[in-house]
Coordinates of all heavy atoms in Angstrom, one line a residue:
M1325 N 0.8 -1.2 0.0 CA 0.0 0.0 0.0 C 0.9 1.3 0.0 O 0.6 2.2 -0.7 CB -0.9 0.0 1.2 CG -1.9 1.1 1.3 SD -3.1 1.0 0.0 CE -4.3 2.1 0.6
R1326 N 2.0 1.3 0.8 CA 2.8 2.4 0.9 C 3.5 2.6 -0.4 O 3.7 3.8 -0.9 CB 3.9 2.1 2.0 CG 4.7 3.3 2.3 CD 5.7 3.0 3.4 NE 6.4 4.2 3.7 CZ 6.8 4.6 4.9 NH1 6.5 3.9 5.9 NH2 7.5 5.7 5.0
L1327 N 3.9 1.6 -1.1 CA 4.5 1.7 -2.5 C 3.5 2.3 -3.5 O 3.9 3.3 -4.2 CB 5.0 0.3 -3.0 CG 5.6 0.3 -4.3 CD1 6.9 1.2 -4.4 CD2 6.0 -1.1 -4.8
M1328 N 2.3 2.0 -3.4 CA 1.3 2.5 -4.3 C 1.1 4.0 -4.0 O 1.0 4.8 -4.9 CB 0.0 1.8 -4.2 CG -0.1 0.4 -4.7 SD 0.2 0.4 -6.5 CE -1.4 1.0 -7.0
T1329 N 1.1 4.4 -2.8 CA 1.0 5.8 -2.4 C 2.2 6.6 -3.0 O 2.0 7.7 -3.5 CB 0.9 6.0 -0.9 OG1 -0.2 5.2 -0.4 CG2 0.7 7.4 -0.5
L1330 N 3.4 6.1 -2.8 CA 4.6 6.7 -3.3 C 4.6 6.9 -4.8 O 4.9 7.9 -5.4 CB 5.9 6.1 -2.8 CG 6.2 6.1 -1.3 CD1 7.3 5.3 -0.9 CD2 6.4 7.6 -0.9
V1331 N 4.2 5.8 -5.5 CA 4.1 5.8 -6.9 C 3.1 6.9 -7.4 O 3.3 7.7 -8.3 CB 3.7 4.4 -7.5 CG1 3.4 4.5 -9.0 CG2 4.9 3.4 -7.3
S1332 N 1.9 6.9 -6.7 CA 0.8 7.8 -7.0 C 1.3 9.2 -6.8 O 1.0 10.1 -7.6 CB -0.3 7.6 -6.1 OG -1.4 7.0 -6.8
L1333 N 2.0 9.5 -5.7 CA 2.5 10.9 -5.4 C 3.5 11.2 -6.5 O 3.6 12.3 -7.0 CB 3.2 10.9 -4.0 CG 3.8 12.2 -3.6 CD1 2.7 13.3 -3.6 CD2 4.5 12.0 -2.2
G1334 N 4.4 10.3 -6.9 CA 5.4 10.6 -7.9 C 4.8 10.9 -9.2 O 5.2 11.8 -9.9
L1335 N 3.7 10.2 -9.6 CA 3.1 10.5 -10.9 C 2.3 11.8 -10.8 O 2.4 12.6 -11.8 CB 2.0 9.4 -11.1 CG 2.6 8.1 -11.6 CD1 1.5 7.0 -11.7 CD2 3.5 8.2 -12.9
S1336 N 1.8 12.2 -9.7 CA 1.1 13.5 -9.5 C 2.2 14.6 -9.6 O 1.9 15.6 -10.3 CB 0.4 13.6 -8.1 OG -0.6 12.7 -8.1
L1337 N 3.3 14.5 -9.0 CA 4.4 15.5 -9.1 C 4.9 15.6 -10.5 O 5.1 16.7 -11.0 CB 5.4 15.2 -8.1 CG 5.1 15.3 -6.6 CD1 6.3 14.8 -5.7 CD2 4.7 16.7 -6.3
S1338 N 5.0 14.5 -11.2 CA 5.5 14.5 -12.5 C 4.5 15.2 -13.5 O 4.9 16.0 -14.3 CB 5.7 13.1 -13.1 OG 6.8 12.5 -12.4
A1339 N 3.3 14.9 -13.3 CA 2.2 15.6 -14.1 C 2.1 17.1 -13.8 O 2.0 17.9 -14.7 CB 0.8 14.9 -13.8
G1340 N 2.3 17.4 -12.5 CA 2.3 18.8 -12.2 C 3.5 19.6 -12.8 O 3.4 20.7 -13.3
A1341 N 4.7 19.0 -12.7 CA 5.9 19.6 -13.4 C 5.6 19.8 -14.8 O 6.1 20.8 -15.4 CB 7.1 18.8 -13.0
A1342 N 5.1 18.8 -15.5 CA 4.9 18.9 -16.9 C 3.9 20.0 -17.3 O 4.1 20.8 -18.2 CB 4.4 17.5 -17.5
L1343 N 2.8 20.1 -16.5 CA 1.9 21.2 -16.7 C 2.5 22.5 -16.5 O 2.3 23.5 -17.2 CB 0.6 21.0 -15.8 CG -0.3 19.8 -16.2 CD1 -1.4 19.7 -15.1 CD2 -0.9 20.0 -17.6
A1344 N 3.3 22.7 -15.5 CA 4.0 23.9 -15.1 C 4.9 24.4 -16.2 O 5.1 25.6 -16.4 CB 4.7 23.8 -13.8
S1345 N 5.5 23.4 -17.0 CA 6.5 23.8 -18.0 C 5.8 24.1 -19.3 O 6.5 24.5 -20.3 CB 7.5 22.7 -18.1 OG 6.9 21.5 -18.7
E1346 N 4.5 23.8 -19.4 CA 3.8 24.2 -20.7 C 3.8 25.7 -20.9 O 3.6 26.5 -19.9 CB 2.4 23.7 -20.6 CG 2.2 22.2 -20.5 CD 2.0 21.6 -21.8 OE1 1.6 22.2 -22.8 OE2 2.4 20.4 -21.9
P1347 N 4.0 26.2 -22.1 CA 4.0 27.6 -22.3 C 2.5 28.2 -22.1 O 1.6 27.4 -22.4 CB 4.4 27.8 -23.7 CG 4.4 26.5 -24.4 CD 4.3 25.4 -23.3
L1348 N 2.4 29.4 -21.6 CA 1.1 30.0 -21.5 C 0.6 30.4 -22.9 O 1.4 30.6 -23.8 CB 1.2 31.2 -20.6 CG 1.7 31.0 -19.2 CD1 2.1 32.2 -18.5 CD2 0.5 30.3 -18.4
A1349 N -0.7 30.4 -23.0 CA -1.3 30.6 -24.4 C -0.9 31.8 -25.1 O -0.8 31.9 -26.3 CB -2.8 30.5 -24.2
F1350 N -0.5 32.9 -24.3 CA -0.1 34.1 -24.9 C 1.3 34.3 -25.2 O 1.7 35.2 -25.8 CB -0.6 35.3 -24.0 CG 0.1 35.3 -22.6 CD1 1.3 35.8 -22.5 CD2 -0.6 34.7 -21.6 CE1 1.9 35.9 -21.2 CE2 0.0 34.7 -20.3 CZ 1.2 35.3 -20.2
E1351 N 2.1 33.3 -24.8 CA 3.6 33.4 -25.0 C 3.9 33.3 -26.5 O 3.4 32.5 -27.2 CB 4.3 32.3 -24.3 CG 4.4 32.5 -22.8 CD 5.3 31.5 -22.1 OE1 6.5 31.6 -22.2 OE2 4.7 30.6 -21.4
G1352 N 4.8 34.2 -26.9 CA 5.2 34.2 -28.3 C 5.3 35.6 -28.8 O 5.3 36.6 -28.0
R1353 N 5.5 35.7 -30.1 CA 5.6 37.1 -30.8 C 4.4 37.3 -31.6 O 4.0 36.4 -32.3 CB 6.9 37.1 -31.6 CG 7.2 38.4 -32.1 CD 8.6 38.4 -32.8 NE 8.9 39.7 -33.1 CZ 10.1 40.0 -33.7 NH1 11.0 39.1 -33.9 NH2 10.4 41.3 -34.0
W1354 N 3.8 38.5 -31.5 CA 2.5 38.8 -32.0 C 2.6 40.1 -32.8 O 3.2 41.1 -32.4 CB 1.5 39.0 -31.0 CG 1.3 37.8 -30.1 CD1 2.0 37.4 -29.0 CD2 0.3 36.8 -30.3 NE1 1.5 36.2 -28.5 CE2 0.5 35.8 -29.3 CE3 -0.7 36.6 -31.3 CZ2 -0.4 34.7 -29.1 CZ3 -1.5 35.5 -31.1 CH2 -1.4 34.6 -30.1
E1355 N 2.0 40.2 -34.0 CA 1.8 41.4 -34.7 C 0.5 42.1 -34.2 O -0.6 41.5 -34.4 CB 1.7 41.1 -36.2 CG 1.4 42.4 -37.1 CD 2.5 43.4 -36.9 OE1 3.7 43.1 -37.1 OE2 2.2 44.5 -36.7
C1356 N 0.6 43.2 -33.6 CA -0.5 43.8 -32.8 C -0.9 45.2 -33.4 O -1.0 46.2 -32.6 CB -0.2 43.9 -31.4 SG -0.1 42.3 -30.6
E1357 N -1.0 45.3 -34.7 CA -1.5 46.6 -35.3 C -0.6 47.7 -35.2 O -0.3 48.4 -36.2 CB -2.9 47.0 -34.7 CG -4.0 46.0 -35.0 CD -5.3 46.3 -34.3 OE1 -5.6 47.5 -34.2 OE2 -6.0 45.4 -33.9
V1358 N 0.0 48.1 -34.1 CA 0.8 49.2 -33.9 C 2.3 48.8 -33.7 O 3.2 49.6 -33.9 CB 0.5 50.1 -32.6 CG1 -0.9 50.7 -32.9 CG2 0.5 49.3 -31.3
A1359 N 2.6 47.5 -33.4 CA 4.0 47.1 -33.2 C 3.9 45.6 -33.0 O 2.9 45.0 -32.9 CB 4.6 47.7 -31.9
Q1360 N 5.1 45.0 -33.0 CA 5.2 43.5 -32.6 C 5.4 43.4 -31.1 O 6.4 44.0 -30.6 CB 6.3 42.9 -33.4 CG 6.0 42.8 -34.9 CD 7.1 42.1 -35.7 OE1 8.1 41.7 -35.2 NE2 6.9 42.1 -37.0
F1361 N 4.5 42.7 -30.4 CA 4.6 42.5 -29.0 C 5.2 41.1 -28.8 O 4.8 40.2 -29.5 CB 3.3 42.6 -28.3 CG 2.6 44.0 -28.4 CD1 1.3 44.1 -28.1 CD2 3.3 45.1 -28.8 CE1 0.6 45.4 -28.2 CE2 2.7 46.4 -28.8 CZ 1.4 46.5 -28.5
T1362 N 6.0 40.9 -27.8 CA 6.6 39.6 -27.5 C 6.3 39.3 -26.0 O 6.6 40.2 -25.1 CB 8.1 39.6 -27.7 OG1 8.3 39.9 -29.1 CG2 8.6 38.2 -27.5
F1363 N 5.8 38.2 -25.7 CA 5.5 37.7 -24.3 C 6.2 36.5 -24.0 O 6.3 35.6 -24.8 CB 4.0 37.4 -24.2 CG 3.0 38.6 -24.4 CD1 2.5 38.9 -25.6 CD2 2.7 39.4 -23.3 CE1 1.7 39.9 -25.8 CE2 1.8 40.4 -23.5 CZ 1.3 40.8 -24.7
T1364 N 6.8 36.4 -22.8 CA 7.3 35.2 -22.2 C 6.5 35.1 -20.9 O 5.8 35.9 -20.5 CB 8.8 35.2 -22.0 OG1 9.1 36.2 -20.9 CG2 9.6 35.5 -23.2
A1365 N 6.8 34.1 -20.1 CA 6.2 33.9 -18.8 C 6.7 35.0 -17.8 O 6.2 35.3 -16.8 CB 6.4 32.6 -18.2
D1366 N 7.9 35.6 -18.2 CA 8.5 36.6 -17.2 C 8.6 38.0 -17.8 O 8.9 39.0 -17.0 CB 10.0 36.2 -17.0 CG 10.0 34.8 -16.4 OD1 9.3 34.5 -15.5 OD2 10.9 34.0 -16.8
N1367 N 8.3 38.2 -19.1 CA 8.7 39.5 -19.7 C 7.6 39.8 -20.8 O 7.1 39.0 -21.5 CB 10.0 39.5 -20.3 CG 10.6 40.8 -20.6 OD1 10.7 41.7 -19.8 ND2 11.0 41.0 -21.9
Y1368 N 7.4 41.2 -21.0 CA 6.5 41.7 -22.1 C 7.4 42.7 -22.8 O 7.9 43.6 -22.1 CB 5.3 42.2 -21.5 CG 4.5 43.2 -22.5 CD1 4.0 42.7 -23.7 CD2 4.3 44.5 -22.1 CE1 3.4 43.6 -24.5 CE2 3.6 45.3 -22.9 CZ 3.1 44.9 -24.1 OH 2.5 45.7 -24.9
N1369 N 7.5 42.7 -24.1 CA 8.1 43.7 -24.9 C 7.0 44.3 -25.8 O 6.4 43.6 -26.6 CB 9.3 43.1 -25.7 CG 10.0 44.2 -26.5 OD1 9.5 44.7 -27.5 ND2 11.1 44.6 -26.1
N1370 N 6.9 45.6 -25.7 CA 5.8 46.3 -26.5 C 6.3 46.8 -27.8 O 5.8 47.7 -28.5 CB 5.3 47.5 -25.7 CG 6.3 48.5 -25.4 OD1 7.4 48.5 -25.8 ND2 5.9 49.5 -24.6
G1371 N 7.5 46.3 -28.3 CA 8.1 46.7 -29.5 C 9.3 47.5 -29.4 O 10.2 47.6 -30.2
T1372 N 9.4 48.2 -28.2 CA 10.6 49.0 -27.8 C 11.1 48.7 -26.4 O 12.3 48.9 -26.3 CB 10.2 50.5 -28.0 OG1 9.2 50.8 -27.1 CG2 9.9 50.9 -29.4
D1373 N 10.2 48.5 -25.5 CA 10.7 48.3 -24.1 C 10.4 47.0 -23.5 O 9.3 46.4 -23.8 CB 9.9 49.4 -23.2 CG 10.2 50.8 -23.7 OD1 11.4 51.1 -23.9 OD2 9.3 51.6 -23.7
D1374 N 11.3 46.4 -22.7 CA 11.1 45.2 -21.9 C 10.5 45.6 -20.6 O 11.0 46.5 -20.0 CB 12.4 44.5 -21.7 CG 12.9 43.8 -23.0 OD1 12.1 43.3 -23.8 OD2 14.1 43.7 -23.1
M1375 N 9.4 44.9 -20.3 CA 8.7 45.1 -19.0 C 8.6 43.8 -18.3 O 7.9 42.9 -18.7 CB 7.3 45.7 -19.3 CG 7.3 47.0 -20.0 SD 5.7 47.5 -20.6 CE 4.9 47.8 -19.0
P1376 N 9.3 43.7 -17.2 CA 9.2 42.4 -16.4 C 7.8 42.2 -15.8 O 7.2 43.2 -15.3 CB 10.2 42.6 -15.2 CG 11.1 43.7 -15.7 CD 10.3 44.6 -16.6
I1377 N 7.2 41.0 -16.0 CA 5.9 40.7 -15.5 C 6.1 40.3 -14.1 O 6.8 39.4 -13.7 CB 5.3 39.5 -16.3 CG1 5.1 40.0 -17.8 CG2 4.0 39.1 -15.7 CD1 4.7 38.8 -18.7
T1378 N 5.3 41.0 -13.2 CA 5.4 40.7 -11.7 C 4.4 39.7 -11.3 O 4.5 39.0 -10.2 CB 5.3 41.9 -10.9 OG1 4.0 42.6 -11.1 CG2 6.4 42.9 -11.2
D1379 N 3.3 39.5 -12.0 CA 2.2 38.6 -11.7 C 1.4 38.2 -12.9 O 1.2 39.1 -13.7 CB 1.3 39.2 -10.6 CG 0.4 38.2 -10.0 OD1 0.8 37.1 -9.5 OD2 -0.9 38.4 -10.1
I1380 N 1.0 37.0 -13.0 CA 0.1 36.5 -14.0 C -1.2 35.9 -13.3 O -1.0 35.0 -12.5 CB 0.7 35.5 -14.9 CG1 1.9 36.2 -15.6 CG2 -0.3 35.0 -15.9 CD1 2.7 35.2 -16.4
A1381 N -2.3 36.4 -13.6 CA -3.5 35.9 -13.0 C -4.5 35.4 -14.0 O -4.8 36.2 -14.9 CB -4.2 36.9 -12.0
A1382 N -5.0 34.2 -14.0 CA -6.0 33.7 -14.8 C -7.2 34.6 -14.6 O -7.6 34.9 -13.5 CB -6.3 32.2 -14.6
D1383 N -7.9 35.1 -15.7 CA -9.0 36.0 -15.5 C -10.0 35.6 -16.6 O -9.9 36.0 -17.8 CB -8.5 37.4 -15.8 CG -9.5 38.5 -15.6 OD1 -10.6 38.2 -15.1 OD2 -9.3 39.6 -15.9
G1384 N -11.0 34.8 -16.3 CA -12.0 34.3 -17.2 C -11.3 33.5 -18.3 O -10.6 32.5 -17.9
N1385 N -11.3 33.8 -19.5 CA -10.7 33.1 -20.6 C -9.3 33.6 -21.0 O -8.8 33.2 -22.0 CB -11.6 32.9 -21.8 CG -11.8 34.3 -22.5 OD1 -11.6 35.3 -21.9 ND2 -12.2 34.2 -23.7
G1386 N -8.8 34.5 -20.1 CA -7.6 35.2 -20.5 C -6.7 35.3 -19.2 O -6.8 34.6 -18.3
Y1387 N -5.8 36.3 -19.3 CA -4.8 36.5 -18.2 C -4.8 38.0 -18.0 O -4.7 38.8 -18.9 CB -3.5 36.0 -18.6 CG -3.5 34.5 -18.9 CD1 -3.8 34.1 -20.2 CD2 -3.2 33.6 -17.9 CE1 -3.7 32.7 -20.5 CE2 -3.2 32.2 -18.2 CZ -3.4 31.8 -19.5 OH -3.5 30.5 -19.8
T1388 N -4.6 38.3 -16.7 CA -4.2 39.7 -16.3 C -2.7 39.7 -16.0 O -2.4 38.9 -15.1 CB -5.1 40.2 -15.1 OG1 -6.5 40.2 -15.5 CG2 -4.6 41.6 -14.7
L1389 N -2.0 40.5 -16.7 CA -0.6 40.6 -16.4 C -0.3 41.8 -15.7 O -0.8 43.0 -16.0 CB 0.2 40.6 -17.8 CG -0.1 39.6 -18.8 CD1 0.7 39.8 -20.1 CD2 0.1 38.2 -18.3
S1390 N 0.4 41.7 -14.6 CA 0.8 42.9 -13.7 C 2.3 43.2 -13.9 O 3.1 42.3 -14.0 CB 0.5 42.6 -12.3 OG -1.0 42.4 -12.1
F1391 N 2.5 44.5 -13.8 CA 3.9 45.1 -13.9 C 4.2 46.0 -12.7 O 3.3 46.3 -12.0 CB 4.0 45.8 -15.3 CG 3.6 44.9 -16.4 CD1 2.3 44.9 -16.9 CD2 4.6 44.2 -17.1 CE1 2.0 44.1 -18.0 CE2 4.2 43.3 -18.1 CZ 2.9 43.3 -18.6
E1392 N 5.4 46.5 -12.7 CA 5.7 47.5 -11.7 C 4.8 48.7 -11.9 O 4.1 48.9 -12.9 CB 7.1 48.0 -11.9 CG 8.2 46.9 -11.6 CD 9.6 47.4 -11.8 OE1 9.8 48.5 -12.2 OE2 10.5 46.6 -11.7
D1393 N 4.7 49.5 -10.8 CA 3.8 50.7 -10.7 C 2.4 50.4 -11.0 O 1.6 51.3 -11.5 CB 4.3 51.7 -11.8 CG 5.7 52.2 -11.5 OD1 6.2 52.3 -10.4 OD2 6.5 52.5 -12.5
D1394 N 1.9 49.2 -10.6 CA 0.5 48.8 -10.6 C -0.1 48.9 -12.1 O -1.3 48.9 -12.2 CB -0.3 49.7 -9.7 CG 0.0 49.5 -8.3 OD1 0.4 48.3 -7.9 OD2 0.0 50.5 -7.5
Y1395 N 0.8 48.8 -13.1 CA 0.3 48.7 -14.5 C -0.2 47.3 -14.8 O 0.5 46.4 -14.3 CB 1.4 49.2 -15.5 CG 0.9 49.2 -16.9 CD1 0.0 50.1 -17.3 CD2 1.4 48.2 -17.8 CE1 -0.4 50.2 -18.7 CE2 1.0 48.3 -19.1 CZ 0.1 49.2 -19.6 OH -0.3 49.2 -20.8
Q1396 N -1.3 47.2 -15.5 CA -1.8 45.9 -15.9 C -2.2 45.8 -17.3 O -2.7 46.9 -17.8 CB -3.0 45.5 -15.0 CG -2.7 45.2 -13.6 CD -3.8 44.7 -12.8 OE1 -5.0 45.2 -13.0 NE2 -3.5 43.8 -11.9
L1397 N -2.2 44.6 -18.0 CA -2.7 44.4 -19.2 C -3.6 43.1 -19.2 O -3.4 42.3 -18.3 CB -1.6 44.1 -20.3 CG -0.7 45.0 -20.7 CD1 0.4 44.4 -21.6 CD2 -1.4 46.2 -21.4
H1398 N -4.6 43.1 -20.0 CA -5.4 41.8 -20.1 C -5.1 41.3 -21.5 O -5.2 42.0 -22.5 CB -6.9 42.1 -19.9 CG -7.7 40.9 -20.1 ND1 -7.8 39.9 -19.1 CD2 -8.4 40.4 -21.1 CE1 -8.6 38.9 -19.5 NE2 -8.9 39.2 -20.7
V1399 N -4.8 40.0 -21.5 CA -4.7 39.3 -22.9 C -5.4 38.0 -22.8 O -5.6 37.4 -21.8 CB -3.2 39.0 -23.2 CG1 -2.4 40.2 -23.3 CG2 -2.5 38.1 -22.1
S1400 N -6.0 37.6 -24.0 CA -6.7 36.3 -24.2 C -6.5 35.9 -25.6 O -6.5 36.7 -26.5 CB -8.1 36.4 -23.8 OG -8.8 37.4 -24.6
V1401 N -6.4 34.6 -25.7 CA -6.3 34.0 -27.1 C -7.7 33.6 -27.5 O -8.4 32.9 -26.9 CB -5.3 32.8 -27.1 CG1 -5.3 32.1 -28.5 CG2 -3.9 33.3 -26.7
N1402 N -8.1 34.1 -28.7 CA -9.4 33.9 -29.2 C -9.4 32.5 -30.0 O -8.4 31.9 -30.2 CB -9.8 35.0 -30.3 CG -9.8 36.4 -29.7 OD1 -10.3 36.6 -28.6 ND2 -9.1 37.3 -30.3
D1403 N -10.6 32.1 -30.2 CA -10.9 30.7 -30.8 C -10.2 30.6 -32.2 O -9.8 29.6 -32.6 CB -12.4 30.4 -31.0 CG -13.0 30.2 -29.7 OD1 -12.4 29.8 -28.7 OD2 -14.3 30.3 -29.6
D1404 N -10.0 31.7 -32.9 CA -9.3 31.7 -34.2 C -7.8 31.8 -34.1 O -7.1 32.0 -35.1 CB -9.9 32.8 -35.1 CG -9.6 34.2 -34.6 OD1 -9.0 34.4 -33.6 OD2 -10.1 35.2 -35.3
G1405 N -7.3 31.8 -32.9 CA -5.8 31.9 -32.7 C -5.3 33.3 -32.6 O -4.1 33.4 -32.3
T1406 N -6.1 34.3 -32.7 CA -5.6 35.7 -32.6 C -5.6 36.0 -31.0 O -6.2 35.3 -30.3 CB -6.5 36.7 -33.3 OG1 -7.8 36.6 -32.8 CG2 -6.5 36.5 -34.7
L1407 N -4.8 37.0 -30.7 CA -4.7 37.4 -29.3 C -5.4 38.8 -29.2 O -5.3 39.7 -30.0 CB -3.2 37.7 -29.0 CG -3.0 38.2 -27.6 CD1 -2.9 37.0 -26.6 CD2 -1.6 39.0 -27.5
Y1408 N -6.2 38.8 -28.1 CA -6.9 40.1 -27.8 C -6.0 40.7 -26.7 O -5.7 40.1 -25.7 CB -8.3 39.9 -27.3 CG -9.0 41.1 -26.7 CD1 -9.4 42.1 -27.6 CD2 -9.2 41.3 -25.4 CE1 -9.9 43.3 -27.1 CE2 -9.8 42.5 -24.9 CZ -10.2 43.5 -25.8 OH -10.8 44.6 -25.3
W1409 N -5.6 42.0 -26.9 CA -4.8 42.8 -26.0 C -5.5 43.9 -25.5 O -6.1 44.7 -26.4 CB -3.5 43.1 -26.7 CG -2.5 44.0 -26.0 CD1 -1.3 43.4 -25.5 CD2 -2.5 45.3 -25.7 NE1 -0.6 44.5 -24.8 CE2 -1.3 45.7 -25.0 CE3 -3.4 46.4 -26.0 CZ2 -1.0 46.9 -24.6 CZ3 -3.1 47.7 -25.5 CH2 -1.9 47.9 -24.9
F1410 N -5.6 44.2 -24.3 CA -6.4 45.4 -23.7 C -5.7 46.0 -22.6 O -5.2 45.3 -21.6 CB -7.8 44.9 -23.2 CG -8.5 46.0 -22.6 CD1 -9.0 47.0 -23.3 CD2 -8.8 45.9 -21.2 CE1 -9.7 48.1 -22.6 CE2 -9.5 46.9 -20.6 CZ -9.9 48.0 -21.3
S1411 N -5.5 47.3 -22.6 CA -5.0 48.1 -21.5 C -6.1 48.8 -20.8 O -6.6 49.8 -21.4 CB -3.9 49.0 -21.9 OG -3.5 49.9 -20.9
P1412 N -6.5 48.5 -19.6 CA -7.5 49.2 -18.9 C -7.0 50.7 -18.5 O -7.8 51.6 -18.3 CB -7.7 48.5 -17.6 CG -6.7 47.4 -17.5 CD -6.0 47.3 -18.8
V1413 N -5.7 50.9 -18.5 CA -5.2 52.2 -18.2 C -5.4 53.2 -19.4 O -5.9 54.3 -19.1 CB -3.6 52.1 -17.9 CG1 -3.0 53.5 -17.7 CG2 -3.4 51.4 -16.6
S1414 N -5.0 52.8 -20.6 CA -5.2 53.7 -21.7 C -6.5 53.5 -22.5 O -6.9 54.3 -23.2 CB -4.0 53.4 -22.7 OG -4.2 52.1 -23.3
G1415 N -7.1 52.3 -22.3 CA -8.4 52.0 -23.0 C -8.0 51.4 -24.4 O -8.9 51.0 -25.2
D1416 N -6.7 51.3 -24.8 CA -6.3 50.7 -26.1 C -6.6 49.2 -26.1 O -6.5 48.5 -25.1 CB -4.9 51.0 -26.3 CG -4.5 52.4 -26.5 OD1 -5.4 53.2 -26.9 OD2 -3.3 52.8 -26.3
S1417 N -7.0 48.7 -27.3 CA -7.2 47.3 -27.4 C -6.7 47.0 -28.9 O -6.9 47.8 -29.8 CB -8.6 46.9 -27.2 OG -9.5 47.5 -28.1
F1418 N -6.2 45.8 -29.0 CA -5.7 45.4 -30.4 C -6.0 43.9 -30.5 O -6.1 43.1 -29.6 CB -4.2 45.5 -30.4 CG -3.7 46.9 -30.1 CD1 -2.9 47.1 -29.0 CD2 -3.9 47.9 -31.0 CE1 -2.5 48.4 -28.7 CE2 -3.4 49.3 -30.7 CZ -2.7 49.5 -29.6
T1419 N -6.2 43.5 -31.8 CA -6.3 42.1 -32.1 C -4.9 41.8 -32.8 O -4.6 42.5 -33.8 CB -7.5 41.8 -33.1 OG1 -8.6 42.2 -32.4 CG2 -7.5 40.4 -33.5
C1420 N -4.3 40.8 -32.3 CA -2.9 40.5 -32.7 C -2.9 39.1 -33.4 O -3.6 38.2 -33.1 CB -2.0 40.4 -31.5 SG -2.1 41.9 -30.5
T1421 N -2.0 38.9 -34.4 CA -1.8 37.6 -35.0 C -0.4 37.1 -34.7 O 0.5 37.8 -34.6 CB -1.9 37.7 -36.6 OG1 -1.0 38.7 -37.0 CG2 -3.4 38.1 -37.0
R1422 N -0.4 35.8 -34.4 CA 0.9 35.2 -34.0 C 1.8 35.1 -35.1 O 1.6 34.7 -36.2 CB 0.5 33.8 -33.5 CG 1.8 33.1 -32.8 CD 1.4 31.6 -32.4 NE 0.5 31.6 -31.3 CZ 0.8 31.7 -30.0 NH1 2.1 31.9 -29.6 NH2 -0.1 31.6 -29.0
L1423 N 3.1 35.5 -34.7 CA 4.2 35.4 -35.6 C 5.0 34.1 -35.4 O 5.6 33.5 -36.2 CB 5.1 36.6 -35.5 CG 4.5 38.0 -36.0 CD1 5.4 39.1 -35.6 CD2 4.1 37.9 -37.4
Y1424 N 5.1 33.7 -34.1 CA 5.7 32.4 -33.7 C 5.3 32.2 -32.3 O 4.8 33.0 -31.5 CB 7.2 32.4 -33.8 CG 8.0 33.2 -32.9 CD1 8.3 32.7 -31.6 CD2 8.4 34.5 -33.2 CE1 9.1 33.4 -30.8 CE2 9.2 35.2 -32.4 CZ 9.5 34.7 -31.1 OH 10.3 35.4 -30.3

């Protein structure tokens, strides 16, 4: 019984590690009408500036990305594979197509 518990625990941990290493849906390089935006799990580049991401929160069908100075963006990948980008601060929104 103890061996089964250890094997089960090991499989759970392995599955969790595999899920954690999966890229987030928004990661990649996107053509976003005004510039090419690049997202990683740690960084956002708006075409000119690198901005470290301080927090990522699942928000409905998308994600809220937080940065220094309480700045936030909302991103979500649409059913057609495009990315919806929205800044609640400026009110700007873009539909982006994946470059890679």
